[in-house]
Amino acid sequence: MSAEAPTPRPKTPRRRIRTVKSNRAQILLFSVLTLVLTVAVVWGGRALLHNSETLVFAVGDANGPEARFAARLAAVLKNNSSRLRLKIVPNGDNAKALSQFDHKEANLAILRTDARVPPRARSIAILEHDLLLLISPSGKKIKSIAELKKKKIAVLADGESGAALVRNILELSDAPDAATRVQMAPPNLTFDQLFAAGFGAVVKIAHASQIVKDKSYEQYARRGGFTLNAIDAAKAIARKYPAISEETVATGMLSASPAIPAEDVDTIGLEWLLVAQSRLSTTTVGDLARIIYENKAELALPDGFASKIEPAATDKDAFIVAHQGAAEYINDETKSFVERYSDLMYFALAALSIIGTVFAAIYAKVTRVAPEKASQLATAILDVGERMEFADSLDALDALQDELEGILRGVVIGLRDGTISSDGLDTFKLGYEFVRDEIGLRREHLKRHAAQDHAQDDKVVVVKTAHSA
C-alpha cells in the first residue's frame, strides 16, 4: 500500500496572552505618572497659597519715624517668608502721605489721631502714644483748665499742629489774641528760659517712649525743679474730642530721683495708628496684623517709637474703626483655612471629582490595556477544536493537548494578575471541557484505527506466507 500524503493543517491566528511582565510595566508607568501629577498639584497649590501681594505704604519724611517703621516692617515680612511685600513711598511730610492714602494711591499709612482722618482708613494697631505734659515753675501748681486759660503758654511739639491742638482744647481758637497766648516755643530753650521769658506754663507734646528715655527732666528736677500738673478735665476733654485719649503719666516716669511725678497724674494725649484701606481683604490685613503682633520687638525703633505696639480698638464706637481682618485676629476670631474657604473647597472638590473621573478614563485608555474577558479566549479553544479533525496521529493530538493546556494556564495567570477578567468564565470553561473531551474521543478513535490496521497487516502477512508455501 502506498502511504497517503498528510492533509495540510489550516493556519489560524492564535491569541496573544498578556504576560505578568507587561502588566508590571503598566503599573510602574501608572505609579510614575501619578507621582508626577501629585507633585504638580502640590506645587500649584503651594504657589497659589503663597502668591505674593505688594502693599503700598505711604510715609512722610524719608528719615522720619513713619518711614523707618515701614522699613522695619518690610524687613520683618521678608524674614518671616510672608507672602506680603511692602513698597514704601516717601512724601514731604505726613500730611502729604495721608493725602496719597486718601486718593487710594496707597494701602497703608500712619496717622496721629489729631490729623484729618481719611474716611476709608481702618486701624490695624496702635504704634505709639503722644502725651500732653502740662509743666509750670516749681511750687506753682495749675489747678484747672480755667486757670490755664489765663496764662501765656509755650508749646513744645514737632509742628504747629501741637499749638492748634492746645488752642482747641482751651477753646481759644476764635479769640483774637489766641496766637499770642498760645505760641510755639522757640527752639532750644529750656523750661527755665521759657519761664523767664514770661510764659506761665509749658505744654510739651511728645512720644511716651521718648519721655521715658529723656534724662533732661531729671536734670531740671535736680537744678531747681518744676511742677507736672494733672489735667483735671481729662475725661471730659476726651469725651468732647474723640481724637484725644485719656492718658496717665506713671509715677517716676519723668524722673526716678527725685520721683516725678510722685504719684500717677491724669492727662490727655494722642495715638499714632497704623491704618489700612477699608477695601483691603480680611485675609491680607489679618496676615499683616499677625506678623506685627508676633514680631513687636523687631519693629521697635532705637528711639523708642513703636516699642509698645497695642491692639487697635475693636469697639464699633472707636474713633477709627478697626479693620475686620485686624479685629478678627485681635479678638481671636481668625478663621482657619478650611473655615475660610469651605464653600470654595466644596465646589472645587466636586469639580475635581468630575475632572478626575474623566482623566482616569482617558488615563486608562492611554496607559493601560483593558483586561480581556475570559469568554473572548474561547475562540482560541475553538481554533484548537477545529484543527483537531486534521490530527491524524497521536503526536498531533498531543501537540493540540499541550496547546489547550497552555491556553488554560495563561487564563489562570491572567485571572491572577488582572490582565484577564472573569467575565464569561463559564463559557470558557464549557469550551475547554468540550474540546478536551473531543481530543480524548479523537485519541481513542485513532487508537482503534491503529489496532485495526495492525490486525489487517497481520492477516496479509499470513496469506502471503501461505501462498509462498
Side-chain angles (χ1 to χ4, degrees), residues 1 5 28 42 47 89 106 108 136 149 170 181 194 225 240 258 273 291 316 327-328 332 336 362 425 445 448 458 461:
M1 296 178 60
L28 178 61
V42 171
V89 181
L108 302 172
S136 59
K149 287 182 180 182
L170 300 179
R181 293 176 62 183
L194 290 172
K240 184 175 182 179
L273 303 178
I291 292 293
K316 293 182 179 180
E328 287 183 0
D332 199 20
S336 66
I362 298 174
L425 187 60
H445 173 74
R448 285 196 304 270
D458 289 343
V461 171

Side-chain angles (χ1 to χ4, degrees), residues 204-265:
K204 182 165 184 177
I205 303 173
H207 301 327
S209 56
Q210 292 179 347
I211 292 173
V212 173
K213 294 184 176 183
D214 192 345
K215 299 300 182 182
S216 63
Y217 298 103
E218 191 166 348
Q219 296 173 3
Y220 293 148
R222 290 176 180 176
R223 286 202 304 263
F226 60 88
T227 301
L228 177 66
N229 301 275
I231 297 180
D232 60 332
K235 184 174 291 186
I237 293 173
R239 188 178 297 112
K240 184 175 182 179
Y241 300 100
I244 295 174
S245 58
E246 294 183 67
E247 302 288 348
T248 299
V249 183
T251 302
M253 184 175 180
L254 274 64
S255 172
S257 179
I260 299 178
E263 57 184 17
D264 291 354
V265 171

